[in-house]
Amino acid sequence: QVQLVESGGGLVQAGGSLRLSCAASGRIFDYYTMGWFRRTRGKEREFVGGISWSYGTTSHADSVKGRFTVSRDIAKSTVYLQMNSLKPEDTAVYFCAARPFGPTVATRPGSYDYWGQGTQVTVSS
């Protein structure tokens, strides 16, 4: 079992930046992929970006390309989501997820087995 804990959320002004962290309780296996999702009030979870743990290859949603970057620190068993040029429409609860038996990054929430509790990101106008 994998336990994930997100952190780094908060309130920022439009155009600002935040860096979210997702810390795993244990060592992530090479065949895992890690994903970031977000949920706006009243909507389903939306894919943001993901990364292959072993290869470091990434995938990002069109809505965040050029602004958000997914990365990982193998030694710290941590995945990051660097968010720049934030917009009010980025306001959501952001979740980290893990999927065994990658290496491809899946975009559907149902493809992931483990989830963190989420961290709130609010972008003001």
Side-chain angles (χ1 to χ4, degrees), residues 33-37 47 49-50 59 99 103-112:
T33 56
M34 307 294 294
W36 285 98
F37 294 79
F47 174 76
S59 179
R99 180 174 75 101
T104 57
V105 176
T107 60
R108 292 185 58 83
S111 298
Y112 292 81

Side-chain angles (χ1 to χ4, degrees), residues 9-13 18 86-88 90-92 94 120-124:
L11 174 64
V12 298
Q13 295 180 347
L18 281 176
L86 284 163
K87 306 174 182 179
D90 294 319
T91 296
Y94 284 73
Q120 176 70 46
V121 173
T122 303
V123 184
S124 64

Side-chain angles (χ1 to χ4, degrees), residues 19-112:
R19 188 193 192 194
L20 305 183
S21 299
C22 173
S25 62
R27 187 175 182 178
I28 301 297
F29 295 105
D30 291 342
Y31 52 84
Y32 272 58
T33 56
M34 307 294 294
W36 285 98
F37 294 79
R38 64 186 182 186
R39 174 184 283 173
T40 302
R41 183 173 54 191
K43 297 184 177 181
E44 298 179 354
R45 285 172 291 180
E46 174 191 17
F47 174 76
V48 177
I51 187 169
S52 169
W53 189 254
S54 59
Y55 296 110
T57 54
T58 60
S59 179
H60 298 84
D62 290 340
S63 60
V64 303
K65 285 182 178 178
R67 299 189 299 120
F68 292 8
T69 303
V70 178
S71 62
R72 88 279 199 242
D73 188 325
I74 296 177
K76 295 182 178 180
S77 297
T78 300
V79 179
Y80 303 98
L81 180 65
Q82 179 66 48
M83 305 185 295
N84 300 324
S85 302
L86 284 163
K87 306 174 182 179
E89 50 263 42
D90 294 319
T91 296
V93 177
Y94 284 73
F95 297 89
C96 179
R99 180 174 75 101
F101 307 110
T104 57
V105 176
T107 60
R108 292 185 58 83
S111 298
Y112 292 81

